[in-house]
Amino acid sequence: MTNLVKAKRASRSKGLLERHAIHGLNSFLFSDEKLFTIEEVTNPQNDRIISSSISTIPEELRSVSRIQKPLSVMVWVGISSIGQTPLIFVPAGVKIDTQTYRELILEPVIQDLSKTMFSGKPFVFQQDDAPAHTSNSTQAWLRSNNPDFNQKEEWPPYSPDLNPMDYSIWPILETRTCLKSHTNIDSLKKSLCREWKRIPQEILRTKVEASLRD
């Protein structure tokens, strides 16, 4: 990062921390999108087997196969210290542009959260600086329907470490869902939904509160 980007990141991070102090830990919804594939997830740094000889390692554990352009699905979700949204699957072949973001996520999910998850109280909607999030249309919709949100000039650049979805929750869900490869997208979706429901709210709360304190 350049010095200018570093300075902007530091300044905007301080602004977010000030907002956290004003609104309290239970008033924030973190959101993010992630692409999941049907392939088994591996970590070359951690997924290792100690053995005196390769012949003692079962054949199915010696390697992980990979294919070009595996089937995949884009997922959106939001979490807070007091609840979580359902997983939203983006239809195959659909790009998350401004219109898709509004029709698939903002209008059916975000618009009603103050009445449901947040029990009639306003909440701060946090999203990163993806183009669909920072477009004039999206920003105008949020100002009209959920005024408490981080506007495009407020989110620090190059900051996945500020969103617990990026650095904590997605890895948990991916590890649980893709322990083994899936044969098709339906299998992947069912596994994602099942494992998402199984993540204890206590884990989500701990991750959210840690990010707000730090």
Side-chain angles (χ1 to χ4, degrees):
M1 289 187 291
T2 66
N3 289 334
L4 179 61
V5 170
K6 290 179 181 179
K8 183 182 293 185
R9 189 177 189 276
S11 175
R12 293 183 178 182
S13 295
K14 290 179 181 178
L16 291 181
L17 287 175
E18 291 174 358
R19 177 177 282 186
H20 296 162
I22 293 173
H23 291 276
L25 295 177
N26 294 337
S27 300
F28 289 84
L29 183 85
F30 289 93
S31 67
D32 198 28
E33 300 97 7
K34 178 176 173 58
L35 187 70
F36 287 84
T37 75
I38 62 172
E39 292 189 321
E40 173 185 349
V41 63
T42 60
N43 185 326
Q45 297 300 316
N46 298 329
D47 296 343
R48 301 184 180 187
I49 298 175
I50 299 176
S51 175
S52 59
S53 171
I54 192 172
S55 62
T56 65
I57 303 175
E59 182 67 32
E60 66 272 13
L61 299 180
R62 294 182 189 179
S63 63
V64 177
S65 62
R66 287 286 183 262
I67 60 176
Q68 290 186 340
K69 298 182 179 179
L71 297 174
S72 61
V73 62
M74 181 67 73
V75 181
W76 177 94
V77 79
I79 63 170
S80 75
S81 63
I82 57 176
Q84 64 200 88
T85 72
L87 298 178
I88 303 298
F89 295 108
V90 179
V94 175
K95 180 181 179 181
I96 302 184
D97 55 17
T98 297
Q99 181 176 348
T100 301
Y101 189 55
R102 185 182 70 252
E103 294 178 352
L104 190 66
I105 296 166
L106 295 181
E107 293 176 350
V109 181
I110 301 303
Q111 195 161 20
D112 292 329
L113 281 184
S114 62
K115 302 175 184 177
T116 55
M117 183 186 297
F118 295 95
S119 303
K121 299 178 181 179
F123 68 96
V124 181
F125 177 49
Q126 297 210 179
Q127 55 181 1
D128 61 25
D129 54 359
H133 304 171
T134 58
S135 70
N136 291 336
S137 177
T138 295
Q139 297 282 300
W141 187 94
L142 286 169
R143 279 191 289 271
S144 298
N145 295 276
N146 195 80
D148 282 330
F149 70 101
N150 58 284
Q151 301 188 40
K152 61 182 179 181
E153 64 273 9
E154 295 178 313
W155 187 254
Y158 305 104
S159 300
D161 55 322
L162 297 182
N163 189 338
M165 288 302 309
D166 267 317
Y167 65 78
S168 183
I169 304 304
W170 284 137
I172 292 174
L173 182 60
E174 185 173 47
T175 299
R176 293 185 175 200
T177 299
C178 300
L179 187 61
K180 294 183 178 181
S181 297
H182 294 271
T183 56
N184 53 56
I185 289 296
D186 285 341
S187 171
L188 174 60
K189 287 182 176 180
K190 289 178 182 178
S191 182
L192 282 166
C193 291
R194 181 178 64 250
E195 296 303 330
W196 180 239
K197 292 178 181 179
R198 288 179 177 176
I199 298 178
Q201 178 58 36
E202 179 62 21
I203 289 180
L204 301 180
R205 184 188 65 78
T206 299
K207 301 301 184 182
V208 168
E209 293 185 356
S211 69
L212 294 176
R213 286 195 298 268
D214 296 341

